Amino acid sequence: MSENVDSSTAPRRIGKPASRLSALFESKQLGWGAFAIALIFPFILASNYAMNIATTAVIFVLLASGLNIVVGYCGLLDLGYIAFMAVGAYTAGIVSKAWELPVLFTVPAVLVMTVLAGLIIGAPTLRLRSDYLAIVTLGFGEIIRLTANNLTITGGPSGIYGIPGIHLFGLDLSNPVPFYYFCVVFVSLLVLGSARLGKSRLGRAWRFVREDEDAAEAMGIHTYKVKLAAYIFGAIWGGLGGMLFAAHLSAISPQSFVFLQSALVLMAVVLGGMGNTRGVVVGAVVISLLPEFLRDMGNLRYVIFGVVLILVMVLRPQGFWPARAFEPEKGDDGSDSGEDGTKRSRRDRRKLVPVNPATGEKA
Amino acid sequence: MSMLEFEDVEVFYGKIQALRGISVRVEEGEIVALLGNNGAGKTTTLSAASALVKAHSGRISFAGTDITRAKPWEVVGAGLIHVPEGRRIFSTLSVMENLQLGGYMVKDKAAIAKRLKDVFDLLPLLAQRRTQQGGTLSGGEQQMLAIGRALIAGPKMLMLDEPSMGLAPLIVAQVMEVIKEVNANGTTVLLVEQNARAALKITSRGYVIENGVTTMTGTGAELLADSRIVEAYLGA
Amino acid sequence: MTQLIWNGLFVGSFYALIALGYSMVYGIIKLLNFAHGDIYMLGAFIGFATLSSFGVIPASMSITALLIVLLLTMIITGGIGVGIERLAYRPLRNSPRLAVLITAVGASFTLEYGVSAIAGPNPKVFPVRLQGETFDVLGARISAPQIVLMVIAVLLMLGLNSYIQRTSMGRAMRAIALDPKGSLLMGINVNKVITWTFFIGSALAGAAGVMAGAYYGKIDFLMGFIIGLKAFTAAVIGGIGNIKGAMLGGLLLGLLEAFGSQWLGGEWRDVFTFAVLIAFLTLKPTGLLGERVTERV
C-alpha cells in the first residue's frame, strides 16, 4: 500500500477488513477524498460561523491524531492530554505577545516547551500501570490548568487575549478563510506525519509495547524510551494544536482546558478505532461537530457521549474502524470460563512474588 | 454408583485441546492416582470437575449428580473439594482465617467448630501456628493447611493436585500419611501427582494421562510393575 | 495550629470514606473505578432531592432528617454502584485494561452530565444547613455539626473495619483480593461478593456526599471529579487495596492539604495534592501501610 515502506516488514493488518465500510476506510482514496472535501468546503459554505466551526474541527483533528499516537499506537491512556495543548497555546500566546512576534515564529518555543512538558509528565508516570497512568495524567492535566489559573504570566483566570493571527511570508492569514486553509494544510501534513510514524519501526515498537509490554521488554525493546517517545510526539502534536487554537481564537483562558476537552479528544480516538489514522480523523470531525448540531440538547449531548463510549467499549472495543483486532486478555479474576491452560499452569508454578501495585513490577 | 466419574470429557483452551476424551472413575472410599507429565492434562481434569474450566463435551458426575455444567460453588456445596496445585494459601490471612474460609459454605457453626477441632487433632502444627500469616508457613506446612482447610468443608471427596510439589522427600512422606489417614476416615481421594512413586504407594488404583487422554489404568501394583511407567515416571 | 489539625482531620474523614470504596474495589478486582467520585456527587444530589421533598424541616429535626436521608441515600447510591458494575464493568472482565478504563471514563461522564441535564448545570443549595454551637478546644474552633459528622464517619469506618475483619463475607472479600481462583475453590460466589463490595463502597461514598452537602451547603455536578482524584490520592498514600490504609490515607491527606494550603496559599491546594500523589507514586508506591501485595504472577 505505501510506496516507500518495504511491505515485507511493514505492519500488516490481520485478516480481512471487517466489512466493506472498513475496507473503504483502509483505502488510500479516502484520504485524498477527505482532503479534497476539506479544500472544497469553503466554496460551499463560507460564513464566519461555518469557518469558525470548520477551523475548530481541523484543529481538533490535529489533537486527535496526536492522542492517537499516545493511546492508539502505544496504548497509554492519557486522560490529561489537553495539558499539552494548553502548554502550546500559552507558550504561543505569551511569547508572541511578549516579543511581538507573529504566531508562527513561536513554533520553536512551543516545541521546546511541549517536549519539556512531555518529559516532565512522562518521567514519573511511564513506569506506572495503565490504571495509575490514567489517573496521574488526569492529575497533571488539572495541575496545568490550575497553574495557568493561578500564575500572573498566564493571565490568571482571564487568560491571555489579543494573540496575533498567522502571518506567513508577509501574507496576513488571519482572516477566517485563509486561516482555515492554512490550518488544513498544516494539520494534513502533521496527520500524514503521524500515520508515517505509525508505520515506522518506532510505530511497530509502540504496537508491541501496547500488546504485551513484558514480551516487548524481553525482545530487547527499551519500553521506557519507546513510551517516552510516544508521549513526546503526542505532546508536540498537541502543543502545535494549542498554538493554532491560540491564533484561531486570539484569546485563551484556563476554561478552554478542562477535563471535558481531554475526554472529547479521547472519545474521538476511541470511536475512530485506536491506531487507525483515517478513522481517528473521522472520529475527530464527528466529535467536534456533533456538539454544535446538538447544541439544543444542552448537557444531554455529553450524556449521550458517555453512554456511547460505554457501549462502544462493551460491544465493539475496536471502535468503528479498527486498526487491528483486539485480542482479549486472559482474565485471571476467577471467571469460570476457560483460561489458557498451558500458560496458566506454568505461571501457577511460579512462587509468590511481591508486586508493586502501582507499576505491576516485582517489588 | 461411583463417587466421581468423567465420561469422555473434552476441554479446550481457546483453540488448543487440553483434554481429548478423559474417562476416569473413582469409587467411594478409594484413593485413585492420576499420573502424567507436565501438560498432560491432569490439572485440567481436576479443574473441569471443580468447574474452574468448562467441559466442552462429555459428562462429569459426582455422587449421582451431573456436575458438568455446575458453577464452582455448587461443586463445593455438593461436597467435592479441589485442593489446587501450589496450595493457593491466602498469604496474608492467618492460618485460622484460611481454615475458616474452608468452611465458607458451611452453615452449621457447631459443625465447623467440631471440624476445626478434628483438623487440629490431625494436624497439631496448624493449632500451634493458628495466628500466623499463611504465607509465612513452609511449603509442607502450607500443604497441610490446604488439606486442613479442605476438611473444614466436610467433603465427601478431595481432589489433590500435586501435593508433593516442591517438598522434600521426608515432608512428602508426611503429607502422604495425612492423605492416607483422611481417606481412612471416610473421604474419597483423587490424587494427581507427577511423583508417581509416592502416589502409587498409597493408592489402590491409578490412571495415566498423556496428551489429554488416559492411556493406562490398573491397580497400584500393576502400574508399579509396568515397565513403561517405570521408565517414564519412576526413573531416578 | 490546632485549628489546622482539626480542619485537616475533618476534611480528611470525608476523604477517608470515599477512599475506602476506591480501595475496596481496587483490592477485589484491581480496577480504579473512575466513576467513584461521581457516586459521591450523586449521593449529594440524591440527598438534596430527598430532603427537598420533605418540605420545611424544623431545625430541631434536622439531624434526624439527615440521618434518615443518609440511610436512604446510601442504599440508593449502593444500588447505582452495583448497576454500573453490572452494566459497564462486568462485561469487560476479560477485556484489555484500556477498554475497562475507557468505560469507566464513559460512566463518569454519563453520571456527571446526566445529573447536570436533570438538575441543571448551576450549583444547588442544600436544603438543610447544619447549625450548631462552636466550642473552643485547645485553641481550635470546633462546631457541633463537625463533631456529629466526624462521629458518623468514624462509626461507619469502624463498622466497615469490623465487618471486613470478623465476618465470613469480609474474609471472602479479602480472599478474593488475594486470589480469585483460589476463592472459587472455597465455594465463594466471586461475582456476588464483587457486587456486594461495589454496593458497600458506593454506599459509603454516597454517605460522604450527603454529609458534604449538609455541611458545605452547596453542591454541583462536577464536585465528584476532584474528590475522586483526591480519594485516589488518599488510597495511594495509605496503600491501595488496604482498608486501614484508606482511612489513614484520607486523614493524612486532609492534614497535608490543610498545612499545604496554609503554606502555599489556598489556590494551590489542589496542585499540592497532586504533587503529593506523584511523589508517593514515584517514591513509595506501595503506600504507608501497603501490604506487600503477594500476587500470583
Side-chain angles (χ1 to χ4, degrees):
Chain A
M1 270 211 304
S2 197
E3 322 78 352
N4 300 343
V5 178
D6 171 23
S7 40
S8 61
T9 52
R12 285 173 301 117
R13 302 189 198 283
I14 296 177
K16 294 209 281 260
S19 66
R20 226 131 355 110
L21 202 57
S22 303
L24 176 66
F25 272 88
E26 288 174 13
S27 69
K28 261 188 113 59
Q29 281 71 13
L30 186 72
W32 287 113
F35 189 63
I37 295 179
L39 288 177
I40 300 177
F41 181 72
F43 293 100
I44 307 173
L45 197 59
S47 68
N48 274 353
Y49 174 69
M51 284 295 100
N52 195 345
I53 306 278
T55 310
T56 310
V58 171
I59 297 178
F60 200 75
V61 167
L62 178 56
L63 292 176
S65 72
L67 185 59
N68 189 35
I69 297 175
V70 181
V71 177
Y73 294 155
C74 199
L76 304 168
L77 186 57
D78 183 348
L79 288 179
Y81 186 69
I82 211 75
F84 296 133
M85 181 190 178
V87 167
Y90 272 100
T91 307
I94 294 172
V95 169
S96 67
K97 282 195 72 178
W99 280 280
E100 289 173 13
L101 292 170
V103 162
L104 276 185
F105 278 57
T106 66
V107 167
V110 168
L111 289 176
V112 167
M113 290 304 287
T114 49
V115 169
L116 255 173
L119 285 170
I120 294 177
I121 297 181
T125 59
L126 289 178
R127 296 200 192 279
L128 302 176
R129 275 176 44 151
S130 45
D131 315 45
Y132 286 69
L133 178 79
I135 302 232
V136 173
T137 49
L138 183 63
F140 264 114
E142 284 298 291
I143 289 181
I144 299 280
R145 182 181 66 83
L146 290 168
T147 310
N149 197 48
N150 292 343
L151 294 178
T152 32
I153 191 176
T154 54
S158 5
I160 305 179
Y161 56 90
I163 302 173
I166 304 272
H167 293 256
L168 194 58
F169 310 128
L171 291 171
D172 181 0
L173 294 178
S174 45
N175 285 323
V177 175
F179 188 73
Y180 168 76
Y181 274 115
F182 175 76
C183 287
V184 169
V185 171
F186 190 80
V187 168
S188 301
L189 288 172
L190 284 171
V191 169
L192 274 173
S194 77
R196 270 303 158 83
L197 272 175
K199 296 195 181 102
S200 68
R201 256 183 92 213
L202 185 56
R204 262 174 287 142
W206 282 333
R207 284 197 166 85
F208 207 162
V209 167
R210 186 186 80 183
E211 293 299 318
D212 188 341
E213 194 173 330
D214 293 323
E217 185 86 44
M219 295 288 290
I221 295 180
H222 287 271
T223 51
Y224 187 73
K225 281 193 197 157
V226 162
K227 290 199 275 190
L228 199 59
Y231 245 57
I232 291 180
F233 276 108
I236 294 175
W237 261 238
L240 290 173
M243 181 190 78
L244 288 181
F245 181 77
H248 177 43
L249 295 185
S250 81
I252 53 175
S253 75
Q255 267 64 265
S256 319
F257 307 110
V258 289
F259 170 65
L260 176 62
Q261 300 304 320
S262 286
L264 289 175
V265 180
L266 179 68
M267 245 176 262
V269 173
V270 168
L271 288 182
M274 295 184 259
N276 177 344
T277 312
R278 293 184 190 88
V280 165
V281 168
V282 173
V285 172
V286 168
I287 295 285
S288 61
L289 293 182
L290 222 46
E292 284 310 307
F293 294 141
L294 299 178
R295 200 161 259 270
D296 306 326
M297 297 180 81
N299 277 346
L300 203 53
R301 53 194 161 151
Y302 296 126
V303 179
I304 296 180
F305 280 178
V307 172
V308 167
L309 205 53
I310 298 178
L311 285 176
V312 168
M313 278 298 117
V314 172
L315 299 174
R316 198 181 159 82
Q318 321 92 301
F320 290 111
W321 302 285
R324 81 185 24 203
F326 262 37
E327 292 275 339
E329 248 170 34
K330 325 294 182 196
D332 64 347
D333 56 357
S335 59
D336 51 8
S337 54
E339 358 96 80
D340 184 323
T342 39
K343 225 163 58 166
R344 201 55 53 175
S345 56
R346 227 180 295 133
R347 283 172 152 204
D348 280 352
R349 284 222 178 108
R350 279 192 234 160
K351 294 205 308 239
L352 293 174
V353 173
V355 158
N356 178 333
T359 62
E361 291 167 352
K362 318 218 189 334
Chain B
M1 177 193 74
S2 50
M3 191 59 136
L4 177 65
E5 181 151 6
F6 295 79
E7 288 172 72
D8 249 336
V9 174
E10 294 185 1
V11 172
F12 286 83
Y13 292 121
K15 293 224 172 83
I16 304 173
Q17 186 165 15
L19 295 184
R20 299 167 196 279
I22 289 277
S23 294
V24 168
R25 195 181 24 90
V26 182
E27 303 293 346
E28 190 172 348
E30 286 193 292
I31 307 185
V32 172
L34 209 54
L35 307 173
N37 280 329
N38 262 346
K42 314 188 298 295
T43 301
T44 312
T45 307
L46 296 193
S47 301
S50 60
L52 288 182
V53 304
K54 274 204 185 83
H56 179 257
S57 65
R59 199 165 164 270
I60 309 174
S61 50
F62 177 69
T65 326
D66 188 333
I67 58 169
T68 325
R69 298 265 165 264
K71 296 269 189 261
W73 46 90
E74 291 170 344
V75 175
V76 171
L80 176 61
I81 306 291
H82 179 176
V83 179
E85 204 185 6
R87 2 262 181 225
R88 295 192 102 111
I89 298 296
F90 299 112
S91 48
T92 52
L93 302 186
S94 70
V95 166
M96 189 58 165
E97 287 174 322
N98 269 279
L99 291 171
Q100 285 168 323
L101 271 170
Y104 181 76
M105 289 199 85
V106 181
K107 299 281 179 247
D108 185 353
K109 291 249 158 66
I112 296 186
K114 179 177 184 308
R115 287 177 197 154
L116 271 171
K117 186 173 170 307
D118 290 340
V119 166
F120 285 143
D121 285 340
L122 178 67
L123 302 162
L125 66 95
L126 293 182
Q128 285 165 19
R129 304 195 191 290
R130 76 178 83 190
T131 52
Q132 243 181 281
Q133 271 195 359
T136 58
L137 265 50
S138 73
E141 291 165 344
Q142 284 191 2
Q143 189 60 63
M144 302 296 190
L145 175 56
I147 296 176
R149 184 173 67 174
L151 292 176
I152 305 286
K156 296 199 183 91
M157 175 165 177
L158 282 183
M159 300 189 296
L160 293 141
D161 199 342
E162 304 218 26
S164 73
M165 191 177 72
L167 301 182
L170 204 60
I171 314 287
V172 171
Q174 289 174 354
V175 169
M176 293 296 162
E177 270 306 304
V178 169
I179 296 175
K180 234 172 86 174
E181 197 172 331
V182 164
N183 173 253
N185 288 340
T187 315
T188 313
V189 173
L190 177 59
L191 180 62
V192 159
E193 264 299 341
Q194 266 193 81
N195 186 342
R197 206 184 285 278
L200 290 172
K201 275 207 192 123
I202 62 171
T203 59
S204 50
R205 271 194 310 124
Y207 293 84
V208 176
I209 295 187
E210 285 172 55
N211 284 325
V213 279
T214 39
T215 52
M216 280 181 256
T217 178
T219 63
E222 287 169 0
L223 291 173
L224 270 171
D226 190 313
S227 57
R228 284 170 296 173
I229 305 246
V230 173
E231 258 175 53
Y233 301 109
L234 299 181
Chain C
M1 169 81 161
T2 31
Q3 184 71 59
L4 274 183
I5 295 180
W6 172 253
N7 289 348
L9 286 177
F10 179 69
V11 174
S13 53
F14 282 92
Y15 291 159
L17 273 182
I18 306 166
L20 272 173
Y22 233 113
S23 234
M24 283 172 75
V25 166
Y26 183 80
I28 207 169
I29 56 173
K30 306 295 179 277
L31 166 75
L32 287 175
N33 182 5
F34 195 73
H36 189 66
D38 298 302
I39 305 274
Y40 158 86
M41 178 269 294
L42 265 178
F45 272 85
I46 293 174
F48 168 78
T50 324
L51 274 172
S52 305
S53 68
F54 282 2
V56 178
I57 304 167
S60 57
M61 289 285 289
S62 59
I63 299 279
T64 330
L66 193 63
L67 286 175
I68 297 177
V69 168
L70 196 63
L71 207 55
L72 263 170
T73 308
M74 284 174 75
I75 296 177
I76 299 178
T77 47
I80 295 178
V82 167
I84 296 178
E85 194 263 322
R86 290 307 213 78
L87 292 172
Y89 298 148
R90 191 180 293 192
L92 295 170
R93 225 27 111 61
N94 292 326
S95 298
R97 268 257 100 90
L98 212 54
V100 190
L101 287 174
I102 293 177
T103 308
V105 173
S108 167
F109 236 57
T110 310
L111 289 177
E112 284 171 7
Y113 289 96
V115 167
S116 101
I118 298 176
N122 296 323
K124 300 246 175 282
V125 175
F126 218 69
V128 166
R129 191 73 199 276
L130 296 177
Q131 314 287 2
E133 339 162 9
T134 53
F135 312 96
D136 261 302
V137 178
L138 300 173
R141 300 262 312 284
I142 302 182
S143 69
Q146 283 180 323
I147 296 183
V148 170
L149 292 179
M150 274 280 262
V151 167
I152 298 178
V154 168
L155 285 176
L156 284 172
M157 288 192 265
L158 288 178
L160 182 72
N161 195 42
S162 246
Y163 186 72
I164 300 276
Q165 292 296 124
R166 311 244 185 95
T167 65
S168 180
M169 178 60 82
R171 265 195 299 274
M173 288 177 179
R174 286 185 290 148
I176 298 177
L178 287 169
D179 185 353
K181 233 169 79 167
S183 304
L184 280 175
L185 294 178
M186 301 287 105
I188 298 175
N189 185 337
V190 169
N191 280 346
K192 269 218 197 124
V193 176
I194 292 177
T195 301
W196 182 233
T197 308
F198 265 89
F199 183 85
I200 296 179
S202 304
L204 289 175
V210 172
M211 297 201 284
Y215 183 75
Y216 293 107
K218 231 174 55 167
I219 59 177
D220 73 278
F221 73 96
L222 283 178
M223 65 194 268
F225 176 64
I226 285 275
I227 284 282
L229 293 177
K230 297 199 178 175
F232 173 65
T233 308
V236 166
I237 292 177
I240 196 138
N242 184 322
I243 299 299
K244 294 206 185 76
M247 300 185 204
L248 179 67
L251 295 173
L252 218 58
L253 182 63
L255 286 170
L256 281 169
E257 265 196 3
F259 282 96
S261 304
Q262 185 76 344
W263 174 38
L264 294 170
E267 72 273 19
W268 292 103
R269 185 192 57 187
D270 295 347
V271 177
F272 182 71
T273 308
F274 295 132
V276 168
L277 172 66
I278 291 164
F280 262 90
L281 282 177
T282 322
L283 301 172
K284 195 155 173 41
T286 45
L288 295 174
L289 295 187
E291 296 173 354
R292 308 205 60 225
V293 179
T294 45
E295 192 179 275
R296 284 249 161 225
V297 173

